[in-house]
Amino acid sequence: MIIRDVLVTPVAFRDPPLLNVAGVHQPYALRTIVQLVCADGVVGLGETYGDDTLLARLERIAPTLVGLSVFDVNAIRGKVETVVTGAPGGQDPDRLTGAPSTARAVLQAYSPFEVACLDAQGKALGVPVSDLLGGAVRESVPFAAYLFYKWAGHPDFEPDETYGEALDPAGVVAQARTMVDTYGFASLKLKGGVFPPEQEIAAIRALREAFPDLPLRLDPNAAWTVATSVKVAEELDGVLEYLEDPTPTIPGMAEVAREATMPLATNMCVVAFDHLPEGVARKAIGVLLCDHHYWGGLRMCQTLATICQTFGIGLSMHSNTHLGISLAAMVHLAAATPYLSYACDTHYPWTLDDVVRPGALRIVDGGVPVPAGPGLGVELDPDALARLHEQYLRCGIRRRDDGGYLRTFRPEFQPPRGTW
């Protein structure tokens, strides 16, 4: 299982105009697809962010892995560390998840290669990745409907006929109804930080009236002050399953946590292992949303799960805009992690294109059954990969910029980080 070649392919795929604290999604989202081509013909697949900084790192790393075994992940991580620490740094690909650091850059760059190694190992052994992670403890992984305020469509593009516009409580409820009816979701999460808190409280209350039995979550991406966060927590006492990242920083979250009756969740203030001691000591969070793309891969997330269980912190899973390789990795990880406290997040219902062949990934009764095949259980579609790579070359986007895109329509826009 020696690596003969490493292919790193940036892709761009259609993305709806989903609003968030940073702005609005651009017409195309970016991802990078990694293929580890082994001497015996096995190909391991990985996927990660597509921003130009991380792409350049992956392209520098790729040739250094040739000749290594996909089972020698320690050597592969060593190569990643050597390249990343010896090259100039750059801006963190996901700027909502904390300040950039060399350690985080290593973990982000290593993650798609680790997933690709596990995929290749599973294919060679004829077992699913979940078996390599200890064995599946659940046959299907529960996910929450990920609700967004959104425009009807991007200007100069075809309107979104499936979900349409959602700029008020009625629009949010209609979007939720479509997702629940289509996919059977049993939990609902609203991405907030878009409108004044009072409007988002009204949207949550409308969801509660429409779906009296479903757990609800609200995530304003740290848009609010501590005082506003406490007020919202009071207003939604008994309504929310958890409140995610209402305000910035661990100290700010700790202040809110002392007053809030529901757990506070995060994927913004605790996003690396060196954040955990302060987060635990200050009792700032009740739920941690892991993400293998920046925590360092699937096995590092299992280590994180053990730490959360030790300190009584609930565990769920964060999602960025992604394709099927990432979803498959998320499902195998969640299936093989006994300590999973809440339904996971996924953008997959919003995904209009993919690089994997259809059939292996399905959302059934609000969950994704673990793919049955060896490795990740998904098959790369080379024609789709070529088409989305060509789209990447044509679209001209090289870095996600929700704020810049929104300012083309609203020049005065500034993200309300911790100020509302």
Side-chain angles (χ1 to χ4, degrees):
M1 293 296 290
I2 300 301
I3 298 171
R4 177 168 53 85
D5 197 8
V6 180
L7 306 178
V8 175
T9 308
V11 297
F13 56 100
R14 293 172 294 163
D15 200 12
L18 307 179
L19 293 158
N20 58 77
V21 71
V24 63
H25 287 207
Q26 296 156 283
Y28 298 99
L30 307 178
R31 297 297 272 185
T32 301
I33 307 303
V34 167
Q35 298 176 73
L36 300 184
V37 182
C38 300
D40 57 0
V42 169
V43 179
L45 303 176
E47 176 193 330
T48 188
Y49 304 106
D51 295 70
D52 50 4
T53 298
L54 180 57
L55 176 62
R57 289 182 187 138
L58 300 180
E59 290 174 337
R60 289 195 298 267
I61 292 164
T64 73
L65 305 186
V66 173
L68 298 178
S69 168
V70 294
F71 287 93
D72 194 357
V73 291
N74 286 333
I76 289 172
R77 177 163 172 168
K79 293 290 188 181
V80 172
E81 289 179 349
T82 297
V83 171
V84 173
T85 59
Q91 194 169 25
D92 196 356
D94 186 352
R95 281 155 282 167
L96 286 178
T97 57
S101 70
T102 300
R104 292 197 65 208
V106 169
L107 293 177
Q108 288 171 341
Y110 170 67
S111 174
F113 295 115
E114 186 235 30
V115 171
C117 283
L118 289 169
D119 184 39
Q121 291 173 24
K123 288 173 176 173
L125 298 173
V127 300
V129 165
S130 54
D131 277 9
L132 300 177
L133 299 175
V137 297
R138 51 186 65 86
E139 295 179 353
S140 181
V141 174
F143 285 88
Y146 210 156
L147 310 176
F148 284 82
Y149 292 106
K150 68 180 291 290
W151 298 337
H154 289 285
D156 301 323
F157 285 74
E158 291 294 324
D160 179 356
E161 296 181 358
T162 302
Y163 293 103
E165 183 178 84
L167 298 174
D168 57 20
V172 170
V173 169
Q175 184 185 111
R177 179 66 65 193
T178 300
M179 283 211 176
V180 170
D181 289 348
T182 303
Y183 299 108
F185 288 118
S187 303
L188 306 175
K189 171 176 170 174
L190 175 62
K191 178 66 75 177
V194 176
F195 295 110
E198 295 80 6
Q199 291 179 232
E200 297 183 351
I201 290 172
I204 290 293
R205 292 195 179 281
L207 287 169
R208 170 52 68 235
E209 182 176 355
F211 303 94
D213 300 322
L214 299 191
L216 303 179
R217 312 166 186 178
L218 175 60
D219 173 19
N221 278 138
W224 304 334
T225 64
V226 167
T228 296
S229 301
V230 171
K231 179 64 174 175
V232 173
E234 291 175 352
E235 291 282 340
L236 296 177
D237 178 22
V239 178
L240 290 180
E241 179 183 36
Y242 63 65
L243 178 59
E244 182 180 339
D245 286 311
T247 201
T249 77
I250 291 173
M253 289 280 284
E255 284 190 65
V256 179
R258 285 194 291 270
E259 304 293 333
T261 57
M262 72 285 290
L264 298 190
T266 191
N267 74 285
M268 293 180 68
C269 73
V270 176
V271 294
F273 286 95
D274 58 354
H275 299 162
L276 284 163
E278 183 184 4
V280 170
R282 290 182 179 267
K283 300 180 180 179
I285 56 169
V287 183
L288 188 58
L289 279 70
C290 68
D291 188 323
H292 73 271
H293 301 94
Y294 59 80
W295 280 94
L298 307 188
R299 289 196 170 111
M300 291 290 274
C301 283
Q302 288 192 304
T303 298
L304 178 64
T306 300
I307 295 172
C308 288
Q309 186 172 16
T310 300
F311 289 102
I313 297 171
L315 184 72
S316 185
M317 188 175 291
H318 166 256
S319 169
N320 201 310
T321 306
H322 61 83
L323 296 170
I325 297 170
S326 281
L327 179 61
M330 293 163 66
V331 169
H332 281 282
L333 170 62
T337 303
Y339 188 68
L340 186 71
S341 316
Y342 298 88
C344 303
D345 293 347
T346 180
H347 284 66
Y348 205 61
W350 297 107
T351 300
L352 302 174
D353 303 300
D354 209 343
V355 295
V356 300
R357 297 190 188 279
L361 297 169
R362 300 171 295 123
I363 303 176
V364 181
D365 296 329
V368 178
V370 181
L376 291 174
V378 296
E379 182 182 355
L380 187 69
D381 183 335
D383 292 337
L385 179 67
R387 184 176 68 254
L388 297 188
H389 176 60
E390 182 62 30
Q391 194 159 260
Y392 171 85
L393 297 175
R394 290 198 314 268
C395 76
I397 298 172
R398 295 297 177 264
R399 177 177 293 275
R400 177 175 172 176
D401 186 6
D402 292 10
Y405 182 52
L406 184 53
R407 278 189 286 273
T408 62
F409 310 102
R410 292 172 48 196
E412 77 286 357
F413 171 76
Q414 292 297 327
R417 181 164 170 79
T419 59
W420 230 325

